[in-house]
Amino acid sequence: MKERMYADGIESISVVDGVARLELFVFKSGEKKEGVPPEHVPVGELVMSMNGVVRLYDGIGRMIEDIKKRQSSTKPLSGSENFQAS
């Protein structure tokens, strides 16, 4: 069975005996205070071998390059292109 978990980011990364542990977190909902980082809570860990970390790193690099290509090939619309008064 496939399990999905949402995370806003990685709190910490540690490596012990060739096993990487990435602690994942989500931002806590609630009132945002200017100049104060949002609170966050841990939601789980991603645990993988060092070979798995290398494959993850390679895959994320390819994904970032793909995103960059897509962004450079699309022209953002200005307000006048999005809306025409009738």
Side-chain angles (χ1 to χ4, degrees):
M1 185 170 100
K2 190 190 265 189
E3 186 177 333
R4 293 186 181 178
M5 178 189 316
Y6 176 82
D8 287 313
I10 299 172
E11 174 71 26
S12 65
I13 300 173
S14 60
V15 178
V16 177
D17 293 332
V19 177
R21 297 177 187 282
L22 294 81
E23 186 177 345
L24 308 173
F25 71 86
V26 294
F27 290 116
K28 208 171 174 182
S29 62
E31 186 178 326
K32 296 179 182 178
K33 299 175 185 173
E34 191 173 323
V36 177
E39 290 186 58
H40 57 277
V41 293
V43 292
E45 278 187 327
L46 175 60
V47 181
M48 58 193 341
S49 69
M50 295 311 295
N51 286 337
V53 171
V54 170
R55 287 191 302 273
L56 175 66
Y57 177 82
D58 289 341
I60 289 174
R62 286 190 303 273
M63 181 179 65
I64 290 170
E65 288 304 314
D66 186 46
I67 291 168
K68 287 179 181 178
K69 287 177 188 173
R70 289 181 194 184
Q71 287 178 339
S72 66
S73 67
T74 59
K75 177 186 164 199
L77 298 174
S78 70
S80 62
E81 294 171 355
N82 287 324
F83 176 77
Q84 294 180 354
S86 45

